[in-house]
Amino acid sequence: MKRLYSKISLLIILGIIISSCKDEFLEEFPRGVVTIDTLSDESGANLLLIGAYSVIDGFSAGGPGGAGEASATNWVWGDVPSDDMHRGDQTGGWSAINLIERYEVDPTNPWVEGLWNANYDGIARANDVINVLRTAGDKIPSESAKQIEAEARWLRAWFHFQLRTKIEKIPYITEDVVPEEVSNATEVWDNIEADIQWGIDNSMAEAPAEVGRASRWAAKALKARVHMFQNEFDLAKPLLDDIINNGPFQLMDHFYDNHDEEKQNNAESIFEVQYTVNDGAAGGENAGSDHRTLFPRGADIGLCCAYSAPSFDLFNAFKVDAQGLPLLDTFQDDLLLEDYGLLDTDPFTPTAELLDPRVDWTIARRGIPFFDWGPMSGGDWMLDQAGMGPFLNKKIMFYKRNFRTISINTPTWSAGLNGNNWRLFRLGHIILWRAEVAVEENDLETARTLVNQIRLRAQDDIVMGRISNTTFGADDAVVIDESQPAANYLLGLYPSFPDQDYARKAVRHETRLEFALEGMRFQDLVRWGIDAETMNAYLASELSSNKLPWIQGATYTDGQDDHFPIPQTQLDLQSGVLTQDPAY
């Protein structure tokens, strides 16, 4: 379901221009031209729907979002501004992302413009589908038309949701408006909910015929998420309970199963962005083009470009006490820096402190096996360890045994371009959102049970392979004992949640650990209303002792940096219609 839309769109425009002319000779269309009438049947509507799905990754070949500004991974907007991630690579490239991490975004930032344009491109495509359904009328069987419209409305809601969680004042564009005349004066949450609910009310399929299409369960998951952003816990609760109790989903046996390219569309998955490689598409256009720069570089692995660098703060959040429970209030004390500031030839041994085992499925660090690629050897896997820290994103990676099968076998400039799906909604999300609802209802035992369900799954997910090397020079043979855990791991279950404040911290911390580097963290901090206090404490800790010199001096402004501005280009195009947020 990829990359058909650009060609179709152009042909539709040509067809509409031709069919709008009244001269009889112009009504005899040239062979090969597609008109709106040509597409006004079930086949045509599905082609347009595929075109709308094709940009759910935020990437449109030759169109907006080409750099990943609207990536479904949300790493630039959900991770980089948060306490989980630094932008990585070297600070000379993609300087617009530097401004996002330093909280210096203004309306001229090209990544804000790309975010806006790519999502409204998706919205326009969804609206085209609905317009074709209106034109087709009874030429499309009623049940098929309802399913197609339900999916188009779900996509329209999703693209607006992507925008609304980052920009506070946006226009809601439907199929029956003149887009350039719609202001952003009205809140759009109700519109998003209505589009999703339309599919639920009109028997949206629980198991669509094709993998990758949105189901009624995906609709309920998205609607619950929308309610969570508005603190409407009472409205999210029945949707979450329905998915948990009546949905066909179950937790996978292992934490990393939800990122493993060999276990896509698994039993835990509710909706995934589908990627493919080596399918004949030019330049790997159906692959994960929106996140092709997030992989390690260096002689051992040879990919690009070491963007997406986990923070010291995130690594330390995985520290646990003697019972295997998180250090909710003290994990920032005595920060573990691992091999920061060391060459791969300098002696170093990974920390012996107790850690939640999910850390080494999430964060790549020196002296720990990097799946089947061998041990990560340190700063030689990145360009600028001083500026990005010593860690890399492990969730985005694939196994070496699948290199050139899960990744493109004819590389472009990025050999890591791959076909591993991105999981937007899975049962793990639903369980922890339901735990959050339980906390706000002061139902602490339900919250504890749900959190422990997630933790129990991860208890035995141990990364194996204790590496004895303290240096990783070119002539250093790797000494590894595969029978031993790679580090000292312990993950315990909560025996109790003594009060609501403790429970709230525990659920939020668990959400961070389980979904770290998945593009959720910053928007979660904002919706919880703790962004300013969290980010100010983070900056003070993360930048202490002059670490990460290029970020020094960054400050977080409450009430402004929790969202982003409308692009100046749009304000200029729609002068008097769109209004910029006063914070900008």
Side-chain angles (χ1 to χ4, degrees):
M1 292 167 39
K2 290 285 178 179
R3 311 304 173 213
L4 299 177
Y5 188 86
S6 295
K7 294 178 181 177
I8 293 171
S9 164
L10 177 59
L11 291 172
I12 290 172
I13 293 168
L14 291 173
I16 292 172
I17 291 172
I18 291 169
S19 61
S20 67
C21 298
K22 299 301 183 182
D23 294 334
E24 186 174 344
F25 77 94
L26 285 178
E27 292 178 4
E28 295 189 16
F29 306 126
R31 294 177 66 182
V33 170
V34 178
T35 70
I36 195 72
D37 290 330
T38 306
L39 289 168
S40 294
D41 57 20
E42 188 170 354
S43 176
N46 271 305
L47 281 174
L48 287 174
L49 183 61
I50 289 168
Y53 272 112
S54 77
V55 293
I56 197 169
D57 60 1
F59 177 83
S60 175
E69 303 99 314
S71 171
T73 67
N74 203 37
W75 73 279
V76 169
W77 307 106
D79 288 327
V80 168
S82 80
D83 49 354
D84 274 5
M85 184 188 288
H86 303 299
R87 52 147 281 165
D89 192 61
Q90 56 186 344
T91 56
W94 271 352
S95 58
I97 305 178
N98 295 355
L99 301 176
I100 294 170
E101 180 161 4
R102 290 184 55 85
Y103 314 108
E104 295 171 357
V105 176
D106 67 29
T108 66
N109 189 295
W111 279 67
V112 176
E113 183 174 359
L115 170 73
W116 182 281
N117 290 344
N119 279 293
Y120 277 113
D121 178 37
I123 290 163
R125 296 178 186 215
N127 285 334
D128 284 347
V129 176
I130 298 172
N131 276 320
V132 161
L133 292 173
R134 301 288 182 267
T135 301
D138 59 9
K139 286 193 290 184
I140 302 177
S142 175
E143 290 308 306
S144 295
K146 285 182 180 179
Q147 179 63 27
I148 292 169
E149 182 164 351
E151 293 180 49
R153 285 177 176 267
W154 187 92
L155 286 166
R156 184 166 73 185
W158 168 258
F159 292 123
H160 280 105
F161 174 75
Q162 287 290 83
L163 287 162
R164 177 57 187 86
T165 54
K166 302 166 186 69
I167 300 172
E168 288 188 343
K169 295 165 67 74
I170 65 167
Y172 202 88
I173 307 300
T174 58
E175 79 283 358
D176 54 356
V177 302
V178 178
E180 58 268 26
E181 296 178 359
V182 180
S183 81
N184 62 335
T186 304
E187 179 58 84
V188 300
W189 287 124
D190 288 349
N191 303 79
I192 294 173
E193 292 170 17
D195 263 341
I196 304 168
Q197 189 63 40
W198 192 97
I200 297 171
D201 291 341
N202 284 277
S203 302
M204 192 175 183
E206 292 191 355
E210 294 179 302
V211 172
R213 291 182 182 259
S215 67
R216 196 185 316 174
W217 299 114
K220 291 177 179 180
L222 178 55
K223 192 159 189 272
R225 184 71 167 154
V226 170
H227 286 311
M228 298 295 282
F229 267 85
Q230 300 170 83
N231 293 322
E232 296 174 346
F233 302 110
D234 58 327
L235 298 177
K237 179 180 177 179
L239 293 164
L240 299 170
D241 282 341
D242 188 21
I243 297 170
I244 292 170
N245 297 327
N246 302 314
F249 312 105
Q250 60 186 39
L251 290 178
M252 293 294 288
D253 292 337
H254 301 288
F255 166 72
Y256 196 78
D257 286 349
N258 292 298
H259 311 283
D260 188 339
E261 69 270 19
E262 297 174 356
K263 297 178 181 177
Q264 301 179 72
N265 301 305
N266 60 45
E268 187 169 338
S269 181
I270 298 172
F271 185 84
E272 298 185 9
V273 176
Q274 306 292 315
Y275 295 115
T276 62
V277 290
N278 309 323
D279 55 5
E285 288 177 2
N286 296 343
S289 301
D290 54 319
H291 54 270
R292 67 194 303 173
T293 60
L294 307 187
F295 306 99
R297 60 166 78 232
D300 294 344
I301 199 162
L303 300 178
C304 181
C305 299
Y307 284 93
S308 176
S311 64
F312 295 111
D313 196 86
L314 177 61
F315 178 72
N316 282 265
F318 285 92
K319 292 189 296 192
V320 297
D321 63 17
Q323 286 71 49
L325 295 178
L327 308 179
L328 299 178
D329 296 313
T330 60
F331 69 88
Q332 288 176 328
D333 296 348
D334 302 318
L335 281 181
L336 300 172
L337 304 184
E338 291 299 89
D339 64 319
Y340 185 56
L342 299 179
L343 299 175
D344 60 333
T345 52
D346 292 332
F348 168 77
T349 300
T351 181
E353 288 202 30
L354 288 172
L355 300 170
D356 183 315
R358 287 173 291 187
V359 67
D360 286 326
W361 294 107
T362 302
I363 297 172
R365 59 187 174 117
R366 177 173 167 175
I368 303 295
F370 193 82
F371 303 130
D372 56 351
W373 291 88
M376 181 188 170
S377 56
D380 59 327
W381 279 35
M382 57 195 74
L383 274 180
D384 180 20
Q385 197 218 50
M388 65 181 284
F391 306 118
L392 293 170
N393 183 345
K394 210 168 183 178
K395 281 185 174 178
I396 203 75
M397 195 52 183
F398 48 86
Y399 287 95
K400 186 175 183 179
R401 63 177 176 263
N402 295 326
F403 189 49
R404 298 288 191 250
T405 56
I406 191 66
S407 67
I408 54 174
N409 54 29
T410 306
T412 62
W413 59 268
S414 172
L417 195 59
N418 72 87
N420 191 7
N421 291 351
W422 187 255
R423 287 72 166 174
L424 284 185
F425 296 112
R426 63 180 187 270
L427 184 59
H429 292 125
I430 305 305
I431 289 171
L432 285 179
W433 295 339
R434 182 61 181 87
E436 188 178 332
V437 170
V439 168
E440 299 310 320
E441 293 181 333
N442 209 27
D443 181 1
L444 304 189
E445 182 57 24
T446 294
R448 184 187 73 88
T449 299
L450 290 167
V451 168
N452 279 345
Q453 188 177 351
I454 294 295
R455 294 180 66 80
L456 182 64
R457 187 257 294 274
Q459 267 191 329
D460 298 325
D461 277 355
I462 305 299
V463 174
M464 299 298 291
R466 179 79 65 154
I467 295 169
S468 299
N469 293 55
T470 59
T471 61
F472 290 93
D475 297 324
D476 292 333
V478 174
V479 179
I480 181 169
D481 185 348
E482 299 285 0
S483 69
Q484 296 297 314
N488 295 337
Y489 304 119
L490 185 63
L491 196 160
L493 304 183
Y494 284 99
S496 67
F497 281 172
D499 56 52
Q500 190 179 37
D501 181 61
Y502 181 92
R504 188 177 287 116
K505 287 180 181 179
V507 170
R508 291 174 177 178
H509 197 86
E510 195 68 26
T511 297
R512 184 186 192 186
L513 300 184
E514 182 75 7
F515 308 126
L517 311 181
E518 295 181 41
M520 296 174 54
R521 175 65 174 173
F522 185 66
Q523 279 74 43
D524 276 346
L525 291 174
V526 172
R527 72 181 179 86
W528 291 331
I530 60 172
D531 51 294
E533 62 184 90
T534 301
M535 295 311 301
N536 284 320
Y538 158 73
L539 289 170
S541 170
E542 192 79 358
L543 303 181
S544 63
S545 303
N546 294 313
K547 298 190 301 296
L548 309 166
W550 78 271
I551 314 176
Q552 292 292 324
T555 58
Y556 187 88
T557 302
D558 191 15
Q560 173 178 302
D561 294 330
D562 60 345
H563 62 284
F564 302 95
I566 294 174
Q568 188 61 46
T569 52
Q570 298 304 314
L571 295 171
D572 293 341
L573 286 169
Q574 294 177 261
S575 178
V577 178
L578 298 181
T579 304
Q580 184 63 275
D581 189 296
Y584 288 94

